[in-house]
């Protein structure tokens, strides 16, 4: 039994939120590598999960046992690891657009770049409790969408940052439209600022450097092309997306998904890739 449903957010939230994803799966003791799509932070709420299920990072002490209905924040570069899932696995995901996290929390998004932790850890206790109470009291996630919108609209209304110097949203949109294939020198010249100034503002608002963010966008576009082509010529696709050689491509695969292109094709294009594919389709910008 597998079910994946995408819900668009309220229009007023579109500058901050890509949308909501509900995934319902029945899993029989699968242990598999996992990675979170890079470049977009998210709030993850487990609605149903076996108490013995957990995520494990390369550090043996880094196991995460999720509590039901508790919101977790997942950073743009959350680490790779292994999932140990048994039984029912229902999850509701709120996916931020690249600049949304900047307005969502106090401080720079850089503080959660590679982390996956409870929202309370970042001082968002009140919001976390509202979301937890909402999902605890509703059996069906689709009945929660209107209230999730209201909760997030109220939150963003109270914390949105106005009069931002060097707003990066238009730059990010252009990067997304061009699949990350854009010269940073071109942007700096257009903004009439130094590269250091541009990079500092970008990091503060997005949480990542502009160079890394462009690499992620390009890589996500490549993954989507791979998923849509069951018999890919990976070298031809690599050249299409601006990779100069095979080692260049391997470097990004190892950094962003923790495996070689060959291993990715074996694991993710044939089995258990529904969640990752749905995320990439709906949240690729």
């Amino acid at each position: 039994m597998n079910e994946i449903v995408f819900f668009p957010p309220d229009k007023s939230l579109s500058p901050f939120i890509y949308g909501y994803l509900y995934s319902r799966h029945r899993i029989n003791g699968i242990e598999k590598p996992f990675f979170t799509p890079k470049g977009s932070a998210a709030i993850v709420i487990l609605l149903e999960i076996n108490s013995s299920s957990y995520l494990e990072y390369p550090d043996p002490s880094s196991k995460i046992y999720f509590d039901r209905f508790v919101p977790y924040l997942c950073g743009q570069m959350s680490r790779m690891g292994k999932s140990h899932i048994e039984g029912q696995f229902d999850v509701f995901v709120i996916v931020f657009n690249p600049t949304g996290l900047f307005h969502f929390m106090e401080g720079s998004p850089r503080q959660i770049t590679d982390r996956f932790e409870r929202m309370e850890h970042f001082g968002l206790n009140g919001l976390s409790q509202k979301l937890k109470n909402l999902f605890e009291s509703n059996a069906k996630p689709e009945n929660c969408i209107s209230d999730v919108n209201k909760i997030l609209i109220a939150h963003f209304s109270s914390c949105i940052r106005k009069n931002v110097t060097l707003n990066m949203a238009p730059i990010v949109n252009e990067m997304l439209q061009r699949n990350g294939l854009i010269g940073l020198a071109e942007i700096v010249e257009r903004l009439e600022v130094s590269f250091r100034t541009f990079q500092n503002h970008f990091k503060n608002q997005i949480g990542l450097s502009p160079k890394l963010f462009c690499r992620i966008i390009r890589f996500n576009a490549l993954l989507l092309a791979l998923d849509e082509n069951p018999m890919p010529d990976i070298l031809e696709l690599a050249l299409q997306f601006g990779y100069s050689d095979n080692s260049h491509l391997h470097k990004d695969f190892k950094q962003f998904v923790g495996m070689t292109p060959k291993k990715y094709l074996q694991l993710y294009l044939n089995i258990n890739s529904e969640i990752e594919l749905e995320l990439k389709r709906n949240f690729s910008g």
Side-chain angles (χ1 to χ4, degrees), residues 74-228:
C74 169
Q76 301 100 312
M77 289 292 291
S78 291
R79 295 169 292 167
M80 287 80 68
K82 289 184 178 180
S83 60
H84 301 255
I85 307 296
E86 176 71 44
Q88 192 68 31
F89 181 75
D90 297 3
V91 60
F92 187 87
V93 184
I94 302 169
V95 183
F96 294 96
N97 71 26
T99 56
L101 199 60
F102 174 65
H103 296 282
F104 179 77
M105 59 193 302
E106 294 183 10
S108 170
R110 279 187 280 186
Q111 64 181 299
I112 69 161
T113 293
D114 63 351
R115 301 167 75 175
F116 202 122
E117 297 194 33
R118 291 170 178 255
M119 281 175 55
E120 291 96 326
H121 182 89
F122 304 101
L124 298 165
N125 304 54
L127 179 62
S128 176
Q129 192 61 49
K130 288 178 183 178
L131 290 171
K132 183 175 183 290
N133 292 343
L134 173 63
F135 284 98
E136 274 184 324
S137 60
N138 284 274
K140 296 183 178 181
E142 55 267 31
N143 296 337
C144 298
I145 299 301
S146 176
D147 287 325
V148 170
N149 280 328
K150 290 176 183 177
I151 290 171
L152 292 178
I153 288 171
H155 178 76
F156 279 109
S157 297
S158 66
C159 68
I160 187 171
R161 306 189 194 195
K162 300 178 180 179
N163 303 318
V164 177
T165 304
L166 281 183
N167 182 6
M168 290 294 117
I171 302 299
V172 167
N173 289 336
E174 185 175 0
M175 290 174 171
L176 289 168
Q177 290 169 5
R178 295 170 64 170
N179 287 332
L181 299 175
I182 183 172
L184 299 182
E186 171 191 338
I187 296 174
V188 169
E189 183 178 354
R190 191 192 316 159
L191 294 175
E192 298 182 339
V193 296
S194 69
F195 182 82
R196 185 174 182 178
T197 297
F198 164 61
Q199 180 165 261
N200 286 340
H201 280 279
F202 197 95
K203 280 186 175 180
N204 283 334
Q205 294 180 41
I206 310 303
L208 306 172
S209 72
K211 181 178 180 180
L212 177 56
F213 186 71
C214 283
R215 284 177 58 203
I216 289 169
I217 295 170
R218 176 179 60 179
F219 186 74
N220 286 343
L222 173 68
L223 289 190
L224 187 57
L226 282 174
D227 286 325
E228 293 176 342

Side-chain angles (χ1 to χ4, degrees), residues 49 70 125 150 154 180 187 235 239 263 265 267 269:
I49 188 169
V70 172
N125 304 54
K150 290 176 183 177
I187 296 174
L235 185 57
L239 293 173
K263 191 69 172 178
L265 291 172
L267 287 176
L269 292 190

